[in-house]
Amino acid sequence: MSTPYPFTAIVGQDDLRLGLLLNAVSPAVGGVLVRGEKGTAKSTAVRALAALMPEVSVVPGCRFSCDPASPDPACPDGPHAEAAGVSRAARTVELPVGASEDRLVGALDIERALSEGVKAFEPGLLADAHRGILYVDEVNLLHDHLVDLLLDAAAMGASYVEREGVSVRHAARFLLVGTMNPEEGELRPQLLDRFGLTVEVAASRDTDERVEVVRRRLAYDDDPEGFAARWAEEETALRERIAAARALLPRVVLGDGVLRQIAATCAAFEVDGMRADIVMARTATALAAWAGREEVTADDVRQAALLALPHRRRRNPFDAPGLDEDKLDQTLDEAGPQENNDGDDDPDPGPDGGGDGGGGGGVPPQADGDRTPPQDSEGDDTPSQAPESAPDAPGRSAGAEQQPVAAAEPFRTKMLSVPGLGEGAAGRRSRARTAHGRTTGAVRPQGALTKLHLSATVQAAAPHQRARGRSGRGLVVRRDDLRQATREGREGNLVLFVVDASGSMAARQRMSAVKGAVLSLLLDAYQRRDKVGLVTFRGKEAEVALPPTSSVDAAAARLESLPTGGRTPLAAGLLKAHDVLRVERLRDPSRRPLLVVVTDGRATGGPEPVALAGRAARLHQAEGTASVVVDCESGYVRLGLAGELARELGGTAVTLDELRADSIAGLVKDVTAAGRAA
């Protein structure tokens, strides 16, 4: 087994280390989510934490790590006779993003269950992680069905495995630690709320600190054992401090005054539910124990809020996590008892015993993906901006570049789906053959049986019972009789937006509505687990503003800063989209694309722009790309150019009003692929 990098050798990253150590002191805090850019020691710190965790006592031979002092009465390996336990190191179990359901929760031997009535069970990762750490790297990329299983286990402290009426239950209480890069997409709100704490990490911009990071890493790579030996004393001291804090934890007093501060803070920041209050109380108690105190102070509450509330403040994926620290201080001052604000006690929250109490979990640095709307008040009288009057105001030059316009308020959109039956990644948009969903048939299993089709299996085995010498009540089942259920669910698609940013769209009121519509579709794509991409066209060319990604907030940021003006190279936009889709088909052939063209349908610039745009549209139609045109034409006189473009694409045209889910213009519009309109 390779030597892990020492926890105490990690340079900087105080918030990250503090969040992990507080969970080591009090696992009831509920785990930690580590958000940050790649290469910031996220995984290194999590793996190093395992060496600091106290050993656990387990029942000898129990595959489910039962505590000998209070064994699980429902343990599949039980009942356990009274016996002395054996100690072992706490485990860190890693859940791969591509793991199967059976690998996570375990699997039953269906053949033995049917023929012998024996619950032959092979434990999964949840059983291995019981009383230890369950680590999910890139947790935001975890498949939905695994997320659901993880949520159930985290909420109930137990895992249930059921196959056609045969069920097994075992305890599954673990410290959940996840890492993620926000550029690759956000977490579902349900899973986000399950993490007790969240910390933001970023690479240091200090030259000396970066030099020290490289120096230590090179030394570790050259001689892992020798490097770990040089940090052994610090590791031992930190391990002893964790043990001392754990011993002190039951004696820490959470007074009514600080409890009122916690409740007032959660109410002031309008967090959903009561989990935030409970997590803050547990975190503040752990902070006091970590500092060696038996009473929680207002500084502990402040630090707990900065760690426990930012991710619970997000209302949609375009919101940047973080707290207004001035508002936090004001709330604590108004609600807190004066005796806790005298400054006599230093909570000493830093993982090395030093540092101030206001560092961890605060507002993260503003990255490129953070959505910050430009200043655009109604009283803005900047001469370079046109008034909010009629679109395409007279006397306005279509070739002049306009400043970015803020998006209108997003709304709930109708569902746009790709026709046919796909086989792409699990999601919530288009019909597909999936591992989960309604049962549509049965086939012979090609590998391990995961979803038994009971009636088909019985029908396959029934004709052979006399030949197999059946004499009792049990059914004689052979491997060849087993049938795998085929299921139909929903898949996620690649939604590629092609947005017209030319002068004909540059009227402030219209562009604001257009951006609001695209933002609404992006929010819908986030909820349906799609990948998204953004192509814009204006002036003389088109560009890929955002290559296909799972990060819809990055697409929202590109959209927000999108300038407008110039001619309308519609053909260039469609051809650029064709290039993007061609490359993506090679990378992920199972993920079907949905092309969303947002334009008024005009095409100007260059020789024969209309004919060239038509040929580019028919190129998409020939390849069967499902498409929809969002018609942005406004005014009393309409040319119907967007509808004509939709016909050339072999798709569907919808107006901005028809795009709204609450519109009475029509029901859900399925996108029509080329060649299937009839």
Side-chain angles (χ1 to χ4, degrees):
M1 183 176 180
S2 60
T3 303
Y5 192 91
F7 191 89
T8 51
I10 297 173
V11 179
Q13 305 296 12
D14 292 341
D15 293 349
L16 169 59
R17 292 186 291 155
L18 178 59
L20 292 172
L21 289 172
L22 291 177
N23 277 275
V25 171
S26 176
V29 165
V32 59
L33 174 65
V34 185
R35 297 167 44 95
E37 58 197 28
K38 51 188 175 292
T40 49
K42 299 189 298 293
S43 300
T44 299
V46 175
R47 294 188 177 102
L49 178 67
L52 302 175
M53 297 288 286
E55 291 187 339
V56 295
S57 178
V58 299
V59 173
C62 179
R63 298 174 297 167
F64 301 88
S65 303
C66 280
D67 186 349
S70 57
D72 181 7
C75 177
D77 285 354
H80 298 296
E82 292 185 7
V86 294
S87 295
R88 63 161 175 79
R91 293 172 178 162
T92 296
V93 178
E94 295 192 31
L95 173 60
V97 170
S100 66
E101 177 182 339
D102 286 346
R103 183 72 186 99
L104 177 63
V105 301
L108 288 170
D109 189 330
I110 301 298
E111 185 174 357
R112 292 189 64 192
L114 285 176
S115 59
E116 304 174 30
V118 176
K119 294 182 180 179
F121 181 68
E122 185 65 29
L125 295 177
L126 290 180
D128 293 341
H130 180 47
R131 304 176 66 198
I133 301 172
L134 181 61
Y135 171 46
V136 189
D137 193 15
E138 306 295 348
V139 63
N140 51 324
L141 304 182
L142 200 63
H143 287 177
D144 276 2
H145 68 285
L146 296 183
V147 170
D148 292 335
L149 293 170
L150 208 54
L151 288 176
D152 290 341
M156 297 184 294
S159 174
Y160 292 84
V161 183
E162 298 188 5
R163 293 289 188 276
E164 304 296 342
V166 182
S167 64
V168 171
R169 172 210 171 275
H170 65 83
R173 292 183 295 275
F174 45 81
L175 170 58
L176 181 60
V177 181
T179 59
M180 61 173 284
N181 184 347
E183 294 178 358
E184 297 172 339
E186 286 293 343
L187 271 176
R188 283 174 53 187
Q190 296 93 328
L191 183 58
L192 194 64
D193 189 53
R194 292 294 181 185
F195 287 98
L197 310 180
T198 184
V199 294
E200 296 276 340
V201 295
S204 173
R205 299 298 182 256
D206 180 81
T207 302
D208 293 337
E209 194 167 292
R210 294 175 74 97
V211 168
E212 186 60 24
V213 170
V214 175
R215 181 181 291 119
R216 293 186 187 183
R217 186 69 206 191
L218 293 177
Y220 170 77
D221 291 341
D222 289 342
D223 182 12
E225 291 79 8
F227 183 82
R230 292 195 292 274
W231 289 89
E233 185 176 345
E234 287 84 351
E235 291 282 286
T236 300
L238 187 56
R239 191 178 298 108
E240 291 175 351
R241 184 177 178 187
I242 293 173
R246 278 195 168 193
L248 178 62
L249 188 65
R251 303 198 303 272
V252 175
V253 177
L254 184 69
D256 290 342
V258 292
L259 191 55
R260 180 172 292 276
Q261 284 183 311
I262 290 171
T265 301
C266 293
F269 285 99
E270 300 179 346
V271 296
D272 296 331
M274 296 297 298
R275 182 175 284 115
D277 304 63
I278 296 171
V279 170
M280 273 189 65
R282 290 171 173 166
T283 304
T285 304
L287 280 164
W290 179 249
R293 287 181 280 101
E294 294 187 5
E295 185 175 358
V296 177
T297 68
D299 287 331
D300 294 328
V301 175
R302 185 182 193 278
Q303 185 72 28
L306 293 172
L307 290 167
L309 297 187
H311 60 302
R312 294 184 168 89
R313 286 277 297 153
R314 293 174 67 96
R315 291 294 183 266
N316 63 63
F318 311 135
D319 293 336
L323 292 182
D324 182 340
E325 296 194 38
D326 291 336
K327 180 179 178 181
L328 174 60
D329 291 334
Q330 181 181 352
T331 302
L332 292 175
D333 288 341
E334 292 175 352
Q338 294 302 316
E339 60 268 24
N340 284 341
N341 295 323
D342 56 13
D344 292 336
D345 281 327
D346 183 359
D348 187 23
D352 295 319
D356 56 66
V363 180
Q366 294 296 315
D368 184 49
D370 293 335
R371 180 172 180 259
T372 305
Q375 298 298 320
D376 187 23
S377 62
E378 293 182 1
D380 187 358
D381 57 358
T382 306
S384 61
Q385 295 178 338
E388 299 251 7
S389 57
D392 304 328
R396 182 173 175 180
S397 172
E401 180 174 311
Q402 306 296 319
Q403 293 297 318
V405 177
E409 189 69 21
F411 52 85
R412 189 166 64 90
T413 67
K414 286 187 171 68
M415 188 178 77
L416 306 173
S417 61
V418 178
L421 195 63
E423 296 182 347
R428 293 186 176 86
R429 185 171 297 278
S430 305
R431 293 174 54 228
R433 298 182 185 92
T434 59
H436 297 79
R438 65 184 183 90
T439 301
T440 58
V443 295
R444 290 180 181 271
Q446 298 300 314
L449 181 70
T450 56
K451 296 292 183 182
L452 177 75
H453 195 297
L454 182 58
S455 61
T457 299
V458 172
Q459 290 175 14
H464 308 290
Q465 296 306 296
R466 180 174 297 179
R468 293 171 182 172
R470 174 186 170 185
S471 58
R473 299 177 61 183
L475 189 68
V476 181
V477 180
R478 300 285 185 262
R479 176 68 186 176
D480 290 343
D481 301 329
L482 299 180
R483 295 295 183 267
Q484 176 88 20
T486 58
R487 307 204 172 196
E488 181 179 312
R490 293 279 174 177
E491 67 176 358
N493 298 111
L494 166 60
V495 182
L496 182 61
F497 294 93
V498 182
V499 180
D500 185 350
S502 64
S504 65
M505 302 280 289
R508 288 173 60 83
Q509 191 174 34
R510 183 194 300 183
M511 199 61 202
S512 177
V514 168
K515 285 187 175 182
V518 178
L519 203 61
S520 303
L521 290 167
L522 283 171
L523 183 59
D524 181 68
Y526 163 75
Q527 295 168 340
R528 301 190 187 282
R529 310 292 282 176
D530 296 318
K531 290 180 68 175
V532 297
L534 179 63
V535 173
T536 63
F537 58 94
R538 54 183 289 272
K540 297 182 179 180
E541 60 185 12
E543 66 172 346
V544 181
L546 183 71
T549 176
S550 297
S551 178
V552 296
D553 52 343
R558 301 293 195 279
L559 178 72
E560 195 67 54
S561 60
L562 179 66
T564 57
R567 293 186 177 275
T568 313
L570 177 58
L574 295 174
L575 291 174
K576 182 67 72 174
H578 180 269
D579 290 342
V580 172
L581 294 180
R582 177 179 55 81
V583 173
E584 287 302 309
R585 284 190 180 99
L586 296 175
R587 291 177 177 171
D588 189 359
S590 64
R591 188 181 288 269
R592 298 186 295 165
L594 173 61
L595 184 68
V596 179
V597 185
V598 185
T599 181
D600 57 7
R602 300 183 187 183
T604 60
E608 300 184 341
V610 177
L612 187 59
R615 288 197 293 271
R618 289 191 292 274
L619 189 61
H620 286 281
Q621 183 186 36
E623 295 189 353
T625 302
S627 59
V628 61
V629 177
V630 180
D631 184 359
C632 302
E633 191 174 25
S634 60
Y636 295 105
V637 179
R638 296 175 179 265
L639 302 178
L641 299 176
E644 180 60 32
L645 175 63
R647 286 188 288 273
E648 297 278 10
L649 286 166
T652 303
V654 296
T655 64
L656 291 175
D657 180 63
E658 291 172 339
L659 194 61
R660 293 179 178 270
D662 55 358
S663 170
I664 61 174
L667 300 175
V668 174
K669 287 180 174 289
D670 285 338
V671 180
T672 305
R676 299 182 184 178

